[in-house]
């Protein structure tokens, strides 16, 4: 039996209400102070993961800090908490631990955590970007679009997931815009894409909202706490893949733009009769791609540091995709704000987009 662990943390204080409804009656300041004092802990035992080649069990370990606290508290304090969480994983018997949400962003993206543990560490970012791009391409096809004529925008293109998404999508789209708050890393990435993929036109900008207006494909992967894409900013017929946690796309987009398709990136079917013994808002037997990467590496017996740091290797993205296929991990159906995105919904979005296009051309 292979063994792994995965570190979770609440993205916001609202997430604490999933643990106990009484949390909503506790003042924010008091709840934040309590989280800061609380030590990491075992959340649940994960059972039933079974591929044709191996079986695995694991544990969720809770790191009790919100995304806001991880950004605002002293980095050394936050890193110590993440490392403490990893040491609990060690004590439970895990041979590899995955870093969830902001635990994979703080500091040097897992490198220091790995140096302070006796087990392997991965961020899960390689499989996250692989499945996000795979899902986006599928959604584009379902919307009746051809990738080679699409204009894509990657928001958060200077991050590890964003930069890798750029490298993958640039091979297939006609135009790609790289968006982030700081231009220098974007310029460097743009020069790389121009040199390796001359068929794709490349643009860089720090004007996030203006860049969205002509985009057929939007992939957003920022770690911003306060950034939201709003309904009026998007082109009719656009496919928007929100990989970020907290989300970068406003709920208003889905409510008000029936001609725009919004999906969440990286939702995976887990093989076997998996029971997480913890509800994180997904249907049974599905997980985030970052969680799935940790499971895949365990099933493969690859107890080694895999996706760490700010630069993901395309070879590892391809490798984790092959391992996922071997162990029967597959892309799940599309979801958006805890609801399934059905084929009927996609067909309706496509009809509305076509109607809008015809109206504007008449």
């Amino acid at each position: 039996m292979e063994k792994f662990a995965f570190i979770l943390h609440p993205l916001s204080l609202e997430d604490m209400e999933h643990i106990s409804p009484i949390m909503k009656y506790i003042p924010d300041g008091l709840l934040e102070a309590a989280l800061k004092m609380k030590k990491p802990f075992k959340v649940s035992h994960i059972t039933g993961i079974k591929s044709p080649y191996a079986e695995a069990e694991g544990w969720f370990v809770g790191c009790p800090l919100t995304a806001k606290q991880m950004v605002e508290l002293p980095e050394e304090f936050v890193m110590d908490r993440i490392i403490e969480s990893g040491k609990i994983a060690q004590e439970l018997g895990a041979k590899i631990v995955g870093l969830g949400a902001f635990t994979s962003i703080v500091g040097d993206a897992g490198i220091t955590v790995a140096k302070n543990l006796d087990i392997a560490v991965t961020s899960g970012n390689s499989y996250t970007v692989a499945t996000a791009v795979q899902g986006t391409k599928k959604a584009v096809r379902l919307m009746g679009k051809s990738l080679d004529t699409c204009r894509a925008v990657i928001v958060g293109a200077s991050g590890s997931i964003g930069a890798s998404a750029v490298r993958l999508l640039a091979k297939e789209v006609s135009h790609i815009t790289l968006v982030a708050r700081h231009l220098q890393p974007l310029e460097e990435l743009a020069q790389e894409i121009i040199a390796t993929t001359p068929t794709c036109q490349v643009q860089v900008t720090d004007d996030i909202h203006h860049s969205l207006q002509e985009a057929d494909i939007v992939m957003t992967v920022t770690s911003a706490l306060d950034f939201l894409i709003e309904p009026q900013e998007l082109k009719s017929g656009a496919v928007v893949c929100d990989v970020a946690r907290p989300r970068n796309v406003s709920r208003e987009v889905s409510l008000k733009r029936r001609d725009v398709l919004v999906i969440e990136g990286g939702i995976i079917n887990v093989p076997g009769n998996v029971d997480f013994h913890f509800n994180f808002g997904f249907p049974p037997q599905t997980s985030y791609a970052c969680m799935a990467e940790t499971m895949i590496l365990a099933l493969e017996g690859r107890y080694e540091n895999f996706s760490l740091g700010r630069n993901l290797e395309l070879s590892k993205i391809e490798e984790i995709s092959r391992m996922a296929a071997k162990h029967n991990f597959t892309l799940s159906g599309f979801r958006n704000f805890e609801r399934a995105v059905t084929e009927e919904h996609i067909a309706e979005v496509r009809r509305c987009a076509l109607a809008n296009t015809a109206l504007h051309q008449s």
Side-chain angles (χ1 to χ4, degrees), residues 205-265:
T205 182
D206 57 1
D207 187 342
I208 294 172
H209 302 289
H210 185 264
S211 70
L212 303 173
Q213 296 174 5
E214 296 302 319
D216 302 293
I217 300 168
V218 178
M219 184 177 291
T220 176
V221 291
T222 83
S223 55
L225 300 177
D226 58 349
F227 169 68
L228 286 177
I229 292 173
E230 299 294 347
Q232 69 276 10
E233 298 170 328
L234 295 164
K235 178 181 178 180
S236 184
V239 172
V240 183
C241 180
D242 193 353
V243 188
R245 292 295 178 273
R247 291 180 175 90
N248 286 164
V249 180
S250 167
R251 188 184 291 269
E252 293 295 300
V253 174
S254 296
L255 296 175
K256 295 182 177 180
R257 291 297 302 271
R258 300 185 65 83
D259 59 336
V260 170
L261 178 61
V262 181
I263 60 173
E264 295 176 4

Side-chain angles (χ1 to χ4, degrees), residues 17 20-28 30-31:
E17 295 176 22
S20 172
I22 200 171
M23 295 292 184
K24 65 183 175 182
Y25 300 108
I26 301 174
D28 288 357
L30 188 59
L31 192 52

